[in-house]
Amino acid sequence: MTSELLIKNGRVIDPANGIDKKCDVLIIDGKIAEVGGKTEDRGQKPAPSAAQGTEDRRTVIDATGRLVTPGLIDIHVHFREPGDEEEETIASGSAAAVAAGFTSVVCMPNTNPTIENETDVEYIHRKARLARKTHVYVMGAVTKRREGIELAEMGFMAEAGAVGFTDDGSGVQDPAVMLRALKYAAMFGVVVAQHCQDNGFAGDGVMNSGYYSTILGLPGIDPLAEEAMLWRDIQLVKKMPSGRVRYHAQHISTAGSIELIRTAKKESLPITCEVTPHHLLLTEDCVAEYDTNYKVNPPLRRAKDVEALKQAIADGLIDALVSDHAPHLQSEKELEFLAAPFGIASLECAFALFVKALIEPGVLAWPGLIELMTARPAKIIGVDKGTLGVGKQADVTIVDPDAEYEIDVNKFRSKSRNCPYHGWKVKGKVEKTIVQGEIRFEA
Ligand SMILES: [Zn+2]
Ligand SMILES: [Zn+2]
């Protein structure tokens, strides 16, 4: 039995192949079979095979007025399993992901226990297969228990399919440990991702340091905490023999970081970086009412940092857009500002938020946005995804770019509601998410 899925008349945007045109996409048995204008003619429904008594399945989707893109990829999410299943599980996070158009996500290892060996990686993969929604990849920890001292089982994790290493939640403080991690990961050709934050500078800070932290009486995190570690890591990358080393700066948030990235890229260093929606849409003054939904790490910065990030995106310096989806229990977020955990649950509205931050003000055109949510993040984690190339696994997202809606956290598939965007009016709605040729979400 053959199964066919024909997506007709959409605006197909496939940046990896330089495609942006109105045409059809034909999927046969879970793979992209054809992208072009004549798929309908050739697709005459074959006669059912009488011999086996089975019938070929053919589904047609009319995508007129819609964007048809490679399945979106988010290389930075927290699904909280194992350990904090009341906040999110692989199953609930996966359901949220496909509802948000993401056909691949990468889970961070700061779970409880930490993802630090091959069994842990396999555990996540197994849970994801059972959930049968989105592809779930894993980054393993750089160091055991994320303590920054002893390297985790990076080799075994790489063999088990880990697509990167990070101690996300904190940065690797000791430069000698970080250098060893870069050397070791390079042997496997796996990227090392860093939550750039020097603990000495960051201290007990809970928001950006400056005017607002002073008047609110809250300890601040200086932008230097991020920039110092990023600068240090760039020096470490320079020390590495060129070849397989790859370094990725997670959720960069300051104008100073942008300048460091700009210089590093001019020198053609193997460095990539990512940006979150909150660092593009929110600023430090949001914290003024002590609403812990705005407590995030790295913290919300100044308007001039937001402008620098947008300029960097327009200049092509940013490699990926990520949600850094960080679900938390309401009871925890209701603690006072100092005690509440960091993080925003934003996976389910991430696409529309990036539309608001980047398409609406004209920072990017559609192909540019789609590239930063498909082909380029796929390259960072080294997976054969993010394209509609013929023969590739058919992960496809269909979006109505003009549909307006209001973000309602009560409709989230995610288990958590710590989201400051509740009630926001946004544009750009995911209508269908197709994973391996199967419609896994339909609005
Ligand atoms: Zn982080
Ligand atoms: Zn994170």
Side-chain angles (χ1 to χ4, degrees):
M1 187 174 98
T2 306
S3 114
E4 284 193 12
L5 180 61
L6 175 64
I7 306 165
K8 280 171 53 178
N9 300 323
R11 175 179 170 189
V12 176
I13 299 178
D14 179 14
N17 291 304
I19 292 172
D20 177 9
K21 64 176 179 186
K22 195 178 160 191
C23 64
D24 303 343
V25 175
L26 178 66
I27 297 165
I28 298 179
D29 291 340
K31 298 229 161 71
I32 304 287
E34 202 173 332
V35 177
K38 291 178 186 156
T39 48
E40 197 175 15
D41 307 335
R42 71 156 291 291
Q44 291 301 323
K45 191 175 178 296
S49 161
Q52 278 118 40
T54 58
E55 199 170 326
D56 292 347
R57 264 187 304 144
R58 183 157 206 251
T59 311
V60 179
I61 295 170
D62 180 13
T64 306
R66 309 295 190 262
L67 307 181
V68 178
T69 75
L72 305 179
I73 300 173
D74 187 344
I75 61 168
H76 192 148
V77 302
H78 297 266
F79 280 178
R80 306 301 186 204
E81 190 176 0
D84 290 294
E85 286 85 353
E86 67 286 3
E87 294 179 339
E88 199 78 285
T89 60
I90 305 297
S92 65
S94 296
V98 287
F102 293 102
T103 58
S104 295
V105 297
V106 180
C107 285
M108 294 298 114
N110 62 335
T111 47
N112 190 11
T114 306
I115 307 296
E116 59 184 25
N117 60 46
E118 61 189 312
T119 317
D120 301 331
V121 171
E122 283 160 2
Y123 173 84
I124 306 291
H125 287 163
R126 189 169 65 247
K127 288 279 180 175
R129 279 197 302 276
L130 289 171
R132 209 181 157 75
K133 292 286 186 191
T134 189
H135 298 287
V136 178
Y137 296 96
V138 186
M139 285 200 191
V142 175
T143 65
K144 289 186 176 164
R145 293 172 297 279
R146 298 172 44 248
E147 288 171 346
I149 300 164
E150 198 186 337
L151 289 188
E153 308 272 12
M154 294 165 76
F156 288 123
M157 286 194 281
E159 275 172 32
V163 295
F165 301 108
T166 177
D167 276 358
D168 186 41
S170 41
V172 178
Q173 302 297 311
D174 184 333
V177 173
M178 186 62 186
L179 185 59
R180 234 179 295 142
L182 285 169
K183 281 182 180 162
Y184 205 49
M187 287 165 54
F188 305 98
V190 175
V191 67
V192 179
Q194 182 82 290
H195 172 126
C196 293
Q197 192 166 76
D198 183 297
N199 288 349
F201 278 128
D204 300 323
V206 293
M207 68 173 294
N208 188 44
S209 77
Y211 172 75
Y212 282 95
S213 66
T214 306
I215 58 166
L216 294 171
L218 292 171
I221 301 176
D222 197 284
L224 264 182
E226 176 173 313
E227 293 151 10
M229 185 170 281
L230 178 57
W231 180 86
R232 180 204 76 179
D233 285 352
I234 292 170
Q235 311 318 306
L236 296 178
V237 169
K238 280 186 189 170
K239 267 184 80 76
M240 293 284 298
S242 59
R244 300 180 82 192
V245 66
R246 288 190 292 129
Y247 173 86
H248 179 70
Q250 297 179 293
H251 46 48
I252 58 168
S253 67
T254 76
S257 293
I258 294 298
E259 283 323 302
L260 291 167
I261 294 282
R262 198 181 291 276
T263 309
K265 290 210 168 192
K266 257 188 210 141
E267 294 172 33
S268 302
L269 294 173
I271 287 174
T272 52
C273 65
E274 63 182 36
V275 169
T276 71
H278 41 274
H279 291 120
L280 293 171
L281 288 165
L282 306 172
T283 42
E284 57 178 353
D285 49 298
C286 292
V287 175
E289 282 169 14
Y290 299 97
D291 181 345
T292 58
N293 280 333
Y294 295 98
K295 182 176 175 183
V296 65
N297 188 5
L300 303 175
R301 305 289 191 184
R302 301 156 300 177
K304 73 174 205 183
D305 295 302
V306 171
E307 282 321 303
L309 293 182
K310 287 186 177 173
Q311 188 58 51
I313 289 170
D315 294 345
L317 290 174
I318 307 299
D319 300 274
L321 301 172
V322 304
S323 67
D324 194 4
H325 174 66
H328 286 292
L329 285 180
Q330 212 51 34
S331 57
E332 278 190 303
K333 274 290 194 182
E334 277 163 9
L335 296 170
E336 63 168 312
F337 204 89
L338 284 174
F342 292 102
I344 294 175
S346 60
L347 183 58
E348 262 158 291
C349 47
F351 180 76
L353 294 174
F354 286 123
V355 171
K356 195 181 231 0
L358 302 170
I359 297 287
E360 288 177 19
V363 176
L364 285 178
W366 284 108
L369 180 77
I370 300 304
E371 186 177 17
L372 292 182
M373 299 185 80
T374 58
R376 283 177 77 180
K379 209 171 155 201
I380 293 167
I381 57 167
V383 299
D384 190 19
K385 295 268 173 210
T387 144
L388 297 177
V390 170
K392 303 286 183 193
Q393 215 171 51
D395 295 347
V396 183
T397 302
I398 303 176
V399 174
D400 182 345
D402 302 315
E404 292 182 49
Y405 71 102
E406 196 175 299
I407 295 171
D408 181 355
V409 296
N410 301 307
K411 291 184 180 155
F412 281 2
R413 278 93 179 152
S414 167
K415 286 192 172 189
S416 292
R417 302 283 178 267
N418 53 304
C419 175
Y421 310 110
H422 179 66
W424 278 36
K425 297 226 178 4
V426 291
K427 216 169 156 183
K429 200 169 183 2
V430 172
E431 286 195 338
K432 287 188 179 60
T433 307
I434 296 159
V435 180
Q436 287 175 270
E438 235 180 71
I439 300 171
R440 299 262 174 97
F441 171 77
E442 234 171 323

